[in-house]
mmCIF file with all atom_site columns, all heavy atoms in Angstrom:
data_model
loop_
_atom_site.group_PDB
_atom_site.id
_atom_site.type_symbol
_atom_site.label_atom_id
_atom_site.label_alt_id
_atom_site.label_comp_id
_atom_site.label_asym_id
_atom_site.label_entity_id
_atom_site.label_seq_id
_atom_site.pdbx_PDB_ins_code
_atom_site.Cartn_x
_atom_site.Cartn_y
_atom_site.Cartn_z
_atom_site.occupancy
_atom_site.B_iso_or_equiv
_atom_site.pdbx_formal_charge
_atom_site.auth_seq_id
_atom_site.auth_comp_id
_atom_site.auth_asym_id
_atom_site.auth_atom_id
_atom_site.pdbx_PDB_model_num
ATOM 1   N N   . TYR I 1 127 ? 108.296 86.063  129.111 1.00 96.00 ? 127 TYR I N   1
ATOM 2   C CA  . TYR I 1 127 ? 109.057 87.184  128.506 1.00 96.00 ? 127 TYR I CA  1
ATOM 3   C C   . TYR I 1 127 ? 110.482 87.239  128.884 1.00 96.00 ? 127 TYR I C   1
ATOM 4   O O   . TYR I 1 127 ? 110.779 87.004  130.013 1.00 96.00 ? 127 TYR I O   1
ATOM 5   C CB  . TYR I 1 127 ? 108.334 88.548  128.908 1.00 96.00 ? 127 TYR I CB  1
ATOM 6   C CG  . TYR I 1 127 ? 106.938 88.725  128.414 1.00 96.00 ? 127 TYR I CG  1
ATOM 7   C CD1 . TYR I 1 127 ? 105.878 88.309  129.243 1.00 96.00 ? 127 TYR I CD1 1
ATOM 8   C CD2 . TYR I 1 127 ? 106.775 89.235  127.116 1.00 96.00 ? 127 TYR I CD2 1
ATOM 9   C CE1 . TYR I 1 127 ? 104.596 88.482  128.768 1.00 96.00 ? 127 TYR I CE1 1
ATOM 10  C CE2 . TYR I 1 127 ? 105.469 89.409  126.707 1.00 96.00 ? 127 TYR I CE2 1
ATOM 11  C CZ  . TYR I 1 127 ? 104.407 88.928  127.482 1.00 96.00 ? 127 TYR I CZ  1
ATOM 12  O OH  . TYR I 1 127 ? 103.121 89.163  126.922 1.00 96.00 ? 127 TYR I OH  1
ATOM 13  N N   . GLN I 1 243 ? 109.013 86.385  123.649 1.00 96.00 ? 243 GLN I N   1
ATOM 14  C CA  . GLN I 1 243 ? 108.174 85.706  124.556 1.00 96.00 ? 243 GLN I CA  1
ATOM 15  C C   . GLN I 1 243 ? 108.022 84.218  124.188 1.00 96.00 ? 243 GLN I C   1
ATOM 16  O O   . GLN I 1 243 ? 107.743 83.939  122.923 1.00 96.00 ? 243 GLN I O   1
ATOM 17  C CB  . GLN I 1 243 ? 106.733 86.400  124.562 1.00 96.00 ? 243 GLN I CB  1
ATOM 18  C CG  . GLN I 1 243 ? 105.746 85.714  125.552 1.00 96.00 ? 243 GLN I CG  1
ATOM 19  C CD  . GLN I 1 243 ? 104.375 86.331  125.499 1.00 96.00 ? 243 GLN I CD  1
ATOM 20  O OE1 . GLN I 1 243 ? 104.024 87.086  124.551 1.00 96.00 ? 243 GLN I OE1 1
ATOM 21  N NE2 . GLN I 1 243 ? 103.532 86.000  126.449 1.00 96.00 ? 243 GLN I NE2 1
ATOM 22  N N   . PRO I 1 245 ? 106.260 80.610  123.490 1.00 96.00 ? 245 PRO I N   1
ATOM 23  C CA  . PRO I 1 245 ? 107.241 79.896  122.657 1.00 96.00 ? 245 PRO I CA  1
ATOM 24  C C   . PRO I 1 245 ? 107.778 80.771  121.495 1.00 96.00 ? 245 PRO I C   1
ATOM 25  O O   . PRO I 1 245 ? 106.994 81.478  120.799 1.00 96.00 ? 245 PRO I O   1
ATOM 26  C CB  . PRO I 1 245 ? 106.371 78.691  122.172 1.00 96.00 ? 245 PRO I CB  1
ATOM 27  C CG  . PRO I 1 245 ? 104.939 79.217  122.018 1.00 96.00 ? 245 PRO I CG  1
ATOM 28  C CD  . PRO I 1 245 ? 104.953 80.287  123.258 1.00 96.00 ? 245 PRO I CD  1
ATOM 29  N N   . GLN I 1 311 ? 110.916 124.212 104.121 1.00 54.00 ? 311 GLN I N   1
ATOM 30  C CA  . GLN I 1 311 ? 110.390 124.002 105.455 1.00 54.00 ? 311 GLN I CA  1
ATOM 31  C C   . GLN I 1 311 ? 108.989 124.697 105.620 1.00 54.00 ? 311 GLN I C   1
ATOM 32  O O   . GLN I 1 311 ? 108.068 123.970 106.022 1.00 54.00 ? 311 GLN I O   1
ATOM 33  C CB  . GLN I 1 311 ? 111.324 124.627 106.478 1.00 54.00 ? 311 GLN I CB  1
ATOM 34  C CG  . GLN I 1 311 ? 110.749 124.943 107.907 1.00 54.00 ? 311 GLN I CG  1
ATOM 35  C CD  . GLN I 1 311 ? 110.917 123.651 108.787 1.00 54.00 ? 311 GLN I CD  1
ATOM 36  O OE1 . GLN I 1 311 ? 111.082 122.647 108.338 1.00 54.00 ? 311 GLN I OE1 1
ATOM 37  N NE2 . GLN I 1 311 ? 110.820 123.919 110.085 1.00 54.00 ? 311 GLN I NE2 1
ATOM 38  N N   . ASN I 1 312 ? 108.805 125.851 105.220 1.00 55.00 ? 312 ASN I N   1
ATOM 39  C CA  . ASN I 1 312 ? 107.544 126.399 105.334 1.00 55.00 ? 312 ASN I CA  1
ATOM 40  C C   . ASN I 1 312 ? 106.944 126.842 104.012 1.00 55.00 ? 312 ASN I C   1
ATOM 41  O O   . ASN I 1 312 ? 106.254 127.850 103.840 1.00 55.00 ? 312 ASN I O   1
ATOM 42  C CB  . ASN I 1 312 ? 107.662 127.654 106.260 1.00 55.00 ? 312 ASN I CB  1
ATOM 43  C CG  . ASN I 1 312 ? 107.993 127.375 107.575 1.00 55.00 ? 312 ASN I CG  1
ATOM 44  O OD1 . ASN I 1 312 ? 107.190 126.487 108.136 1.00 55.00 ? 312 ASN I OD1 1
ATOM 45  N ND2 . ASN I 1 312 ? 108.953 127.933 108.353 1.00 55.00 ? 312 ASN I ND2 1
ATOM 46  N N   . ASP I 1 357 ? 114.466 119.016 100.920 1.00 91.00 ? 357 ASP I N   1
ATOM 47  C CA  . ASP I 1 357 ? 115.081 119.000 102.300 1.00 91.00 ? 357 ASP I CA  1
ATOM 48  C C   . ASP I 1 357 ? 114.794 117.690 103.013 1.00 91.00 ? 357 ASP I C   1
ATOM 49  O O   . ASP I 1 357 ? 113.974 117.604 103.941 1.00 91.00 ? 357 ASP I O   1
ATOM 50  C CB  . ASP I 1 357 ? 114.543 120.190 103.102 1.00 91.00 ? 357 ASP I CB  1
ATOM 51  C CG  . ASP I 1 357 ? 115.165 120.289 104.557 1.00 91.00 ? 357 ASP I CG  1
ATOM 52  O OD1 . ASP I 1 357 ? 116.210 119.729 104.692 1.00 91.00 ? 357 ASP I OD1 1
ATOM 53  O OD2 . ASP I 1 357 ? 114.461 120.793 105.357 1.00 91.00 ? 357 ASP I OD2 1
ATOM 54  N N   . LYS I 1 363 ? 115.407 114.034 110.252 1.00 96.00 ? 363 LYS I N   1
ATOM 55  C CA  . LYS I 1 363 ? 114.073 114.770 110.238 1.00 96.00 ? 363 LYS I CA  1
ATOM 56  C C   . LYS I 1 363 ? 113.004 113.796 110.211 1.00 96.00 ? 363 LYS I C   1
ATOM 57  O O   . LYS I 1 363 ? 112.959 112.936 109.347 1.00 96.00 ? 363 LYS I O   1
ATOM 58  C CB  . LYS I 1 363 ? 114.146 115.692 108.954 1.00 96.00 ? 363 LYS I CB  1
ATOM 59  C CG  . LYS I 1 363 ? 112.848 116.529 108.793 1.00 96.00 ? 363 LYS I CG  1
ATOM 60  C CD  . LYS I 1 363 ? 113.062 117.459 107.667 1.00 96.00 ? 363 LYS I CD  1
ATOM 61  C CE  . LYS I 1 363 ? 111.892 118.503 107.522 1.00 96.00 ? 363 LYS I CE  1
ATOM 62  N NZ  . LYS I 1 363 ? 112.099 119.509 106.486 1.00 96.00 ? 363 LYS I NZ  1
ATOM 63  N N   . GLU I 1 406 ? 105.293 104.388 108.970 1.00 98.00 ? 406 GLU I N   1
ATOM 64  C CA  . GLU I 1 406 ? 104.274 103.495 109.556 1.00 98.00 ? 406 GLU I CA  1
ATOM 65  C C   . GLU I 1 406 ? 102.848 104.302 109.777 1.00 98.00 ? 406 GLU I C   1
ATOM 66  O O   . GLU I 1 406 ? 101.872 103.651 109.590 1.00 98.00 ? 406 GLU I O   1
ATOM 67  C CB  . GLU I 1 406 ? 104.749 102.772 110.769 1.00 98.00 ? 406 GLU I CB  1
ATOM 68  C CG  . GLU I 1 406 ? 105.863 101.823 110.471 1.00 98.00 ? 406 GLU I CG  1
ATOM 69  C CD  . GLU I 1 406 ? 106.215 100.928 111.624 1.00 98.00 ? 406 GLU I CD  1
ATOM 70  O OE1 . GLU I 1 406 ? 105.824 101.120 112.737 1.00 98.00 ? 406 GLU I OE1 1
ATOM 71  O OE2 . GLU I 1 406 ? 107.007 99.906  111.363 1.00 98.00 ? 406 GLU I OE2 1
ATOM 72  N N   . ARG I 1 407 ? 102.986 105.490 110.214 1.00 98.00 ? 407 ARG I N   1
ATOM 73  C CA  . ARG I 1 407 ? 101.844 106.320 110.232 1.00 98.00 ? 407 ARG I CA  1
ATOM 74  C C   . ARG I 1 407 ? 101.027 106.507 109.094 1.00 98.00 ? 407 ARG I C   1
ATOM 75  O O   . ARG I 1 407 ? 99.844  106.734 109.077 1.00 98.00 ? 407 ARG I O   1
ATOM 76  C CB  . ARG I 1 407 ? 102.255 107.715 110.838 1.00 98.00 ? 407 ARG I CB  1
ATOM 77  C CG  . ARG I 1 407 ? 102.382 107.868 112.419 1.00 98.00 ? 407 ARG I CG  1
ATOM 78  C CD  . ARG I 1 407 ? 102.826 109.244 112.632 1.00 98.00 ? 407 ARG I CD  1
ATOM 79  N NE  . ARG I 1 407 ? 103.788 109.064 113.808 1.00 98.00 ? 407 ARG I NE  1
ATOM 80  C CZ  . ARG I 1 407 ? 105.015 109.577 113.922 1.00 98.00 ? 407 ARG I CZ  1
ATOM 81  N NH1 . ARG I 1 407 ? 105.349 110.362 113.036 1.00 98.00 ? 407 ARG I NH1 1
ATOM 82  N NH2 . ARG I 1 407 ? 105.712 109.393 114.920 1.00 98.00 ? 407 ARG I NH2 1
ATOM 83  N N   . ASP I 1 410 ? 99.032  102.796 105.495 1.00 98.00 ? 410 ASP I N   1
ATOM 84  C CA  . ASP I 1 410 ? 97.721  102.555 105.006 1.00 98.00 ? 410 ASP I CA  1
ATOM 85  C C   . ASP I 1 410 ? 97.281  103.499 103.945 1.00 98.00 ? 410 ASP I C   1
ATOM 86  O O   . ASP I 1 410 ? 96.763  103.177 102.880 1.00 98.00 ? 410 ASP I O   1
ATOM 87  C CB  . ASP I 1 410 ? 96.650  102.376 106.068 1.00 98.00 ? 410 ASP I CB  1
ATOM 88  C CG  . ASP I 1 410 ? 96.627  100.997 106.697 1.00 98.00 ? 410 ASP I CG  1
ATOM 89  O OD1 . ASP I 1 410 ? 96.658  100.065 105.958 1.00 98.00 ? 410 ASP I OD1 1
ATOM 90  O OD2 . ASP I 1 410 ? 96.454  100.946 107.972 1.00 98.00 ? 410 ASP I OD2 1
ATOM 91  N N   . ARG I 1 411 ? 97.584  104.805 104.195 1.00 98.00 ? 411 ARG I N   1
ATOM 92  C CA  . ARG I 1 411 ? 97.191  105.845 103.325 1.00 98.00 ? 411 ARG I CA  1
ATOM 93  C C   . ARG I 1 411 ? 97.982  105.747 101.983 1.00 98.00 ? 411 ARG I C   1
ATOM 94  O O   . ARG I 1 411 ? 97.460  105.837 100.913 1.00 98.00 ? 411 ARG I O   1
ATOM 95  C CB  . ARG I 1 411 ? 97.318  107.265 103.881 1.00 98.00 ? 411 ARG I CB  1
ATOM 96  C CG  . ARG I 1 411 ? 96.476  107.431 105.017 1.00 98.00 ? 411 ARG I CG  1
ATOM 97  C CD  . ARG I 1 411 ? 96.648  108.747 105.829 1.00 98.00 ? 411 ARG I CD  1
ATOM 98  N NE  . ARG I 1 411 ? 95.620  108.848 106.927 1.00 98.00 ? 411 ARG I NE  1
ATOM 99  C CZ  . ARG I 1 411 ? 95.180  109.986 107.299 1.00 98.00 ? 411 ARG I CZ  1
ATOM 100 N NH1 . ARG I 1 411 ? 95.574  111.084 106.810 1.00 98.00 ? 411 ARG I NH1 1
ATOM 101 N NH2 . ARG I 1 411 ? 94.120  109.967 108.204 1.00 98.00 ? 411 ARG I NH2 1
ATOM 102 N N   . ARG I 1 454 ? 101.890 93.879  105.263 1.00 98.00 ? 454 ARG I N   1
ATOM 103 C CA  . ARG I 1 454 ? 100.792 94.836  105.057 1.00 98.00 ? 454 ARG I CA  1
ATOM 104 C C   . ARG I 1 454 ? 100.564 95.017  103.584 1.00 98.00 ? 454 ARG I C   1
ATOM 105 O O   . ARG I 1 454 ? 99.489  95.181  103.175 1.00 98.00 ? 454 ARG I O   1
ATOM 106 C CB  . ARG I 1 454 ? 101.027 96.184  105.711 1.00 98.00 ? 454 ARG I CB  1
ATOM 107 C CG  . ARG I 1 454 ? 99.788  97.059  105.628 1.00 98.00 ? 454 ARG I CG  1
ATOM 108 C CD  . ARG I 1 454 ? 99.626  98.118  106.634 1.00 98.00 ? 454 ARG I CD  1
ATOM 109 N NE  . ARG I 1 454 ? 99.190  97.572  108.025 1.00 98.00 ? 454 ARG I NE  1
ATOM 110 C CZ  . ARG I 1 454 ? 98.735  98.325  108.967 1.00 98.00 ? 454 ARG I CZ  1
ATOM 111 N NH1 . ARG I 1 454 ? 98.774  99.563  108.899 1.00 98.00 ? 454 ARG I NH1 1
ATOM 112 N NH2 . ARG I 1 454 ? 98.386  97.704  110.067 1.00 98.00 ? 454 ARG I NH2 1
ATOM 113 N N   . TYR X 1 127 ? 118.964 122.829 111.387 1.00 96.00 ? 127 TYR X N   1
ATOM 114 C CA  . TYR X 1 127 ? 118.597 121.698 112.388 1.00 96.00 ? 127 TYR X CA  1
ATOM 115 C C   . TYR X 1 127 ? 119.498 121.929 113.548 1.00 96.00 ? 127 TYR X C   1
ATOM 116 O O   . TYR X 1 127 ? 120.702 122.125 113.538 1.00 96.00 ? 127 TYR X O   1
ATOM 117 C CB  . TYR X 1 127 ? 118.894 120.450 111.609 1.00 96.00 ? 127 TYR X CB  1
ATOM 118 C CG  . TYR X 1 127 ? 118.016 120.179 110.486 1.00 96.00 ? 127 TYR X CG  1
ATOM 119 C CD1 . TYR X 1 127 ? 118.300 120.512 109.194 1.00 96.00 ? 127 TYR X CD1 1
ATOM 120 C CD2 . TYR X 1 127 ? 116.716 119.472 110.718 1.00 96.00 ? 127 TYR X CD2 1
ATOM 121 C CE1 . TYR X 1 127 ? 117.372 120.183 108.174 1.00 96.00 ? 127 TYR X CE1 1
ATOM 122 C CE2 . TYR X 1 127 ? 115.877 119.249 109.650 1.00 96.00 ? 127 TYR X CE2 1
ATOM 123 C CZ  . TYR X 1 127 ? 116.256 119.528 108.407 1.00 96.00 ? 127 TYR X CZ  1
ATOM 124 O OH  . TYR X 1 127 ? 115.307 119.236 107.376 1.00 96.00 ? 127 TYR X OH  1
ATOM 125 N N   . GLN X 1 243 ? 114.001 122.322 114.039 1.00 96.00 ? 243 GLN X N   1
ATOM 126 C CA  . GLN X 1 243 ? 114.535 122.927 112.747 1.00 96.00 ? 243 GLN X CA  1
ATOM 127 C C   . GLN X 1 243 ? 113.916 124.343 112.740 1.00 96.00 ? 243 GLN X C   1
ATOM 128 O O   . GLN X 1 243 ? 112.776 124.583 112.928 1.00 96.00 ? 243 GLN X O   1
ATOM 129 C CB  . GLN X 1 243 ? 114.047 122.190 111.534 1.00 96.00 ? 243 GLN X CB  1
ATOM 130 C CG  . GLN X 1 243 ? 114.594 122.834 110.156 1.00 96.00 ? 243 GLN X CG  1
ATOM 131 C CD  . GLN X 1 243 ? 114.155 122.099 108.886 1.00 96.00 ? 243 GLN X CD  1
ATOM 132 O OE1 . GLN X 1 243 ? 113.317 121.274 108.993 1.00 96.00 ? 243 GLN X OE1 1
ATOM 133 N NE2 . GLN X 1 243 ? 114.685 122.455 107.879 1.00 96.00 ? 243 GLN X NE2 1
ATOM 134 N N   . PRO X 1 245 ? 112.527 127.774 111.215 1.00 96.00 ? 245 PRO X N   1
ATOM 135 C CA  . PRO X 1 245 ? 111.990 128.658 112.254 1.00 96.00 ? 245 PRO X CA  1
ATOM 136 C C   . PRO X 1 245 ? 111.091 127.752 113.156 1.00 96.00 ? 245 PRO X C   1
ATOM 137 O O   . PRO X 1 245 ? 110.324 127.034 112.716 1.00 96.00 ? 245 PRO X O   1
ATOM 138 C CB  . PRO X 1 245 ? 111.200 129.663 111.609 1.00 96.00 ? 245 PRO X CB  1
ATOM 139 C CG  . PRO X 1 245 ? 110.690 129.103 110.367 1.00 96.00 ? 245 PRO X CG  1
ATOM 140 C CD  . PRO X 1 245 ? 111.691 128.130 109.902 1.00 96.00 ? 245 PRO X CD  1
ATOM 141 N N   . GLN X 1 311 ? 98.929  83.740  124.128 1.00 54.00 ? 311 GLN X N   1
ATOM 142 C CA  . GLN X 1 311 ? 99.964  83.912  123.129 1.00 54.00 ? 311 GLN X CA  1
ATOM 143 C C   . GLN X 1 311 ? 99.599  83.287  121.780 1.00 54.00 ? 311 GLN X C   1
ATOM 144 O O   . GLN X 1 311 ? 99.741  83.891  120.771 1.00 54.00 ? 311 GLN X O   1
ATOM 145 C CB  . GLN X 1 311 ? 101.327 83.482  123.734 1.00 54.00 ? 311 GLN X CB  1
ATOM 146 C CG  . GLN X 1 311 ? 102.376 83.263  122.744 1.00 54.00 ? 311 GLN X CG  1
ATOM 147 C CD  . GLN X 1 311 ? 103.176 84.578  122.536 1.00 54.00 ? 311 GLN X CD  1
ATOM 148 O OE1 . GLN X 1 311 ? 102.721 85.662  122.887 1.00 54.00 ? 311 GLN X OE1 1
ATOM 149 N NE2 . GLN X 1 311 ? 104.430 84.374  122.063 1.00 54.00 ? 311 GLN X NE2 1
ATOM 150 N N   . ASP X 1 357 ? 96.844  89.136  128.290 1.00 91.00 ? 357 ASP X N   1
ATOM 151 C CA  . ASP X 1 357 ? 98.252  89.204  128.423 1.00 91.00 ? 357 ASP X CA  1
ATOM 152 C C   . ASP X 1 357 ? 98.754  90.463  127.862 1.00 91.00 ? 357 ASP X C   1
ATOM 153 O O   . ASP X 1 357 ? 99.297  90.566  126.777 1.00 91.00 ? 357 ASP X O   1
ATOM 154 C CB  . ASP X 1 357 ? 98.884  87.989  127.734 1.00 91.00 ? 357 ASP X CB  1
ATOM 155 C CG  . ASP X 1 357 ? 100.418 88.081  127.763 1.00 91.00 ? 357 ASP X CG  1
ATOM 156 O OD1 . ASP X 1 357 ? 100.929 88.601  128.790 1.00 91.00 ? 357 ASP X OD1 1
ATOM 157 O OD2 . ASP X 1 357 ? 100.992 87.510  126.907 1.00 91.00 ? 357 ASP X OD2 1
ATOM 158 N N   . LYS X 1 363 ? 105.428 94.566  125.780 1.00 96.00 ? 363 LYS X N   1
ATOM 159 C CA  . LYS X 1 363 ? 105.018 93.706  124.645 1.00 96.00 ? 363 LYS X CA  1
ATOM 160 C C   . LYS X 1 363 ? 104.552 94.579  123.540 1.00 96.00 ? 363 LYS X C   1
ATOM 161 O O   . LYS X 1 363 ? 103.756 95.519  123.780 1.00 96.00 ? 363 LYS X O   1
ATOM 162 C CB  . LYS X 1 363 ? 104.027 92.767  125.119 1.00 96.00 ? 363 LYS X CB  1
ATOM 163 C CG  . LYS X 1 363 ? 103.540 91.772  123.997 1.00 96.00 ? 363 LYS X CG  1
ATOM 164 C CD  . LYS X 1 363 ? 102.513 90.736  124.685 1.00 96.00 ? 363 LYS X CD  1
ATOM 165 C CE  . LYS X 1 363 ? 102.079 89.825  123.655 1.00 96.00 ? 363 LYS X CE  1
ATOM 166 N NZ  . LYS X 1 363 ? 101.186 88.676  124.343 1.00 96.00 ? 363 LYS X NZ  1
ATOM 167 N N   . GLU X 1 406 ? 100.135 103.330 116.281 1.00 98.00 ? 406 GLU X N   1
ATOM 168 C CA  . GLU X 1 406 ? 100.224 104.215 115.109 1.00 98.00 ? 406 GLU X CA  1
ATOM 169 C C   . GLU X 1 406 ? 100.138 103.453 113.809 1.00 98.00 ? 406 GLU X C   1
ATOM 170 O O   . GLU X 1 406 ? 99.567  103.916 112.862 1.00 98.00 ? 406 GLU X O   1
ATOM 171 C CB  . GLU X 1 406 ? 101.554 104.969 115.147 1.00 98.00 ? 406 GLU X CB  1
ATOM 172 C CG  . GLU X 1 406 ? 101.643 106.114 116.255 1.00 98.00 ? 406 GLU X CG  1
ATOM 173 C CD  . GLU X 1 406 ? 102.777 107.091 116.076 1.00 98.00 ? 406 GLU X CD  1
ATOM 174 O OE1 . GLU X 1 406 ? 103.719 106.848 115.275 1.00 98.00 ? 406 GLU X OE1 1
ATOM 175 O OE2 . GLU X 1 406 ? 102.734 108.001 116.885 1.00 98.00 ? 406 GLU X OE2 1
ATOM 176 N N   . ARG X 1 407 ? 100.615 102.138 113.868 1.00 98.00 ? 407 ARG X N   1
ATOM 177 C CA  . ARG X 1 407 ? 100.525 101.339 112.691 1.00 98.00 ? 407 ARG X CA  1
ATOM 178 C C   . ARG X 1 407 ? 99.026  101.017 112.458 1.00 98.00 ? 407 ARG X C   1
ATOM 179 O O   . ARG X 1 407 ? 98.603  100.718 111.210 1.00 98.00 ? 407 ARG X O   1
ATOM 180 C CB  . ARG X 1 407 ? 101.217 100.060 112.983 1.00 98.00 ? 407 ARG X CB  1
ATOM 181 C CG  . ARG X 1 407 ? 102.572 99.899  112.529 1.00 98.00 ? 407 ARG X CG  1
ATOM 182 C CD  . ARG X 1 407 ? 103.288 98.586  112.989 1.00 98.00 ? 407 ARG X CD  1
ATOM 183 N NE  . ARG X 1 407 ? 104.565 98.879  113.383 1.00 98.00 ? 407 ARG X NE  1
ATOM 184 C CZ  . ARG X 1 407 ? 105.123 98.462  114.584 1.00 98.00 ? 407 ARG X CZ  1
ATOM 185 N NH1 . ARG X 1 407 ? 104.392 97.607  115.332 1.00 98.00 ? 407 ARG X NH1 1
ATOM 186 N NH2 . ARG X 1 407 ? 106.302 98.770  114.961 1.00 98.00 ? 407 ARG X NH2 1
ATOM 187 N N   . ASP X 1 410 ? 94.784  104.357 111.464 1.00 98.00 ? 410 ASP X N   1
ATOM 188 C CA  . ASP X 1 410 ? 93.738  104.566 110.484 1.00 98.00 ? 410 ASP X CA  1
ATOM 189 C C   . ASP X 1 410 ? 92.662  103.480 110.385 1.00 98.00 ? 410 ASP X C   1
ATOM 190 O O   . ASP X 1 410 ? 91.454  103.772 110.298 1.00 98.00 ? 410 ASP X O   1
ATOM 191 C CB  . ASP X 1 410 ? 94.482  104.619 109.027 1.00 98.00 ? 410 ASP X CB  1
ATOM 192 C CG  . ASP X 1 410 ? 94.928  106.097 108.690 1.00 98.00 ? 410 ASP X CG  1
ATOM 193 O OD1 . ASP X 1 410 ? 94.181  107.038 108.967 1.00 98.00 ? 410 ASP X OD1 1
ATOM 194 O OD2 . ASP X 1 410 ? 96.014  106.254 108.125 1.00 98.00 ? 410 ASP X OD2 1
ATOM 195 N N   . ARG X 1 411 ? 93.130  102.212 110.619 1.00 98.00 ? 411 ARG X N   1
ATOM 196 C CA  . ARG X 1 411 ? 92.271  101.151 110.561 1.00 98.00 ? 411 ARG X CA  1
ATOM 197 C C   . ARG X 1 411 ? 91.340  101.285 111.834 1.00 98.00 ? 411 ARG X C   1
ATOM 198 O O   . ARG X 1 411 ? 90.062  100.925 111.725 1.00 98.00 ? 411 ARG X O   1
ATOM 199 C CB  . ARG X 1 411 ? 93.048  99.806  110.683 1.00 98.00 ? 411 ARG X CB  1
ATOM 200 C CG  . ARG X 1 411 ? 93.747  99.576  109.352 1.00 98.00 ? 411 ARG X CG  1
ATOM 201 C CD  . ARG X 1 411 ? 94.643  98.441  109.479 1.00 98.00 ? 411 ARG X CD  1
ATOM 202 N NE  . ARG X 1 411 ? 95.292  98.181  108.198 1.00 98.00 ? 411 ARG X NE  1
ATOM 203 C CZ  . ARG X 1 411 ? 95.597  97.069  107.576 1.00 98.00 ? 411 ARG X CZ  1
ATOM 204 N NH1 . ARG X 1 411 ? 95.343  95.907  108.268 1.00 98.00 ? 411 ARG X NH1 1
ATOM 205 N NH2 . ARG X 1 411 ? 96.109  97.057  106.421 1.00 98.00 ? 411 ARG X NH2 1
ATOM 206 N N   . ARG X 1 454 ? 94.897  113.423 113.869 1.00 98.00 ? 454 ARG X N   1
ATOM 207 C CA  . ARG X 1 454 ? 94.344  112.373 112.926 1.00 98.00 ? 454 ARG X CA  1
ATOM 208 C C   . ARG X 1 454 ? 92.890  112.107 113.190 1.00 98.00 ? 454 ARG X C   1
ATOM 209 O O   . ARG X 1 454 ? 92.107  111.875 112.323 1.00 98.00 ? 454 ARG X O   1
ATOM 210 C CB  . ARG X 1 454 ? 95.134  111.101 112.941 1.00 98.00 ? 454 ARG X CB  1
ATOM 211 C CG  . ARG X 1 454 ? 94.760  110.135 111.855 1.00 98.00 ? 454 ARG X CG  1
ATOM 212 C CD  . ARG X 1 454 ? 95.771  109.241 111.416 1.00 98.00 ? 454 ARG X CD  1
ATOM 213 N NE  . ARG X 1 454 ? 96.781  109.736 110.585 1.00 98.00 ? 454 ARG X NE  1
ATOM 214 C CZ  . ARG X 1 454 ? 97.645  109.016 109.909 1.00 98.00 ? 454 ARG X CZ  1
ATOM 215 N NH1 . ARG X 1 454 ? 97.648  107.743 109.971 1.00 98.00 ? 454 ARG X NH1 1
ATOM 216 N NH2 . ARG X 1 454 ? 98.536  109.651 109.083 1.00 98.00 ? 454 ARG X NH2 1
#
Side-chain angles (χ1 to χ4, degrees):
Chain I
Y127 291 93
Q243 182 182 12
Q311 165 89 340
N312 288 311
D357 178 25
K363 183 174 181 172
E406 292 194 347
R407 271 174 219 134
D410 272 318
R411 292 169 179 219
R454 186 156 285 190
Chain X
Y127 290 94
Q243 182 182 11
Q311 166 88 338
D357 177 27
K363 183 173 180 172
E406 292 194 349
R407 271 175 219 134
D410 273 319
R411 293 169 179 218
R454 186 154 286 191

